[in-house]
Amino acid sequence: QVQLVESGGGVVQAGESLRLSCAASGRTLNNYAMGWWRQAPGKEREFVARITRSTGVTLYADSLKGRFIISRDNAKNMVYLQMNGLKQQDTAVYYCAARLLGSTDYTYWGQGTQVTVSS
C-alpha cells in the first residue's frame, strides 16, 4: 500500500507561483511513475504531468507546458509541482498519484489540495 499526502495549496493571485508537494509513504516507489492531476468544479479530472522514477522523464499536458514543472526527490519520497504564471483557469483540486510502471492506470491517489487563483 502507498499513502500519498499533498500539501502547498492555497489562494494566490493571477500571475503568481505556487509549489505543491506530495509525500509518499508505505511501499517503495521504485517501480512507480508519479503524476499530478487536477479537477476543477464541474469538470472531469484531467492530467497535469507525470515523472518516471529512475530516469526522471517528464510528460505534461500540452496546455501547461512551459508553466508547470514536475520534479521528484527519490531519497525523500517526494514529488513536486512548481506552478508559475498561474491563471484563474488553474483553480482546481490538485491530486498526486502513483502508477506502476507498465500500467496504464494510476493505482494510488492522495486526498488532494485546493488551489484557488483569484484575479
Side-chain angles (χ1 to χ4, degrees), residues 8-66:
V11 180
V12 295
Q13 291 191 329
E16 293 184 340
S17 298
L18 205 58
R19 189 175 86 150
L20 305 182
S21 299
C22 173
S25 61
R27 181 179 297 179
T28 178
L29 295 179
N30 286 341
N31 295 320
Y32 288 86
M34 301 299 296
W36 285 96
W37 292 69
R38 69 183 184 182
Q39 187 167 20
K43 295 187 177 181
E44 293 187 354
R45 189 174 295 184
E46 65 173 350
F47 171 76
V48 173
R50 72 108 166 104
I51 184 168
T52 60
R53 176 175 175 87
S54 58
T55 60
V57 173
T58 58
L59 178 68
Y60 296 92
D62 287 341
S63 62
L64 301 176
K65 286 180 182 177

Side-chain angles (χ1 to χ4, degrees), residues 77-112:
N77 264 356
M78 295 291 294
V79 182
Y80 306 98
L81 184 67
Q82 178 68 40
M83 304 185 293
N84 301 318
L86 284 163
K87 305 175 182 180
Q88 281 189 282
Q89 53 263 45
D90 294 320
T91 294
V93 177
Y94 284 73
Y95 297 91
C96 176
R99 186 189 71 176
L100 186 64
L101 294 179
S103 172
T104 57
D105 297 325
Y106 282 83
T107 306
Y108 301 106
W109 294 83
Q111 83 290 348

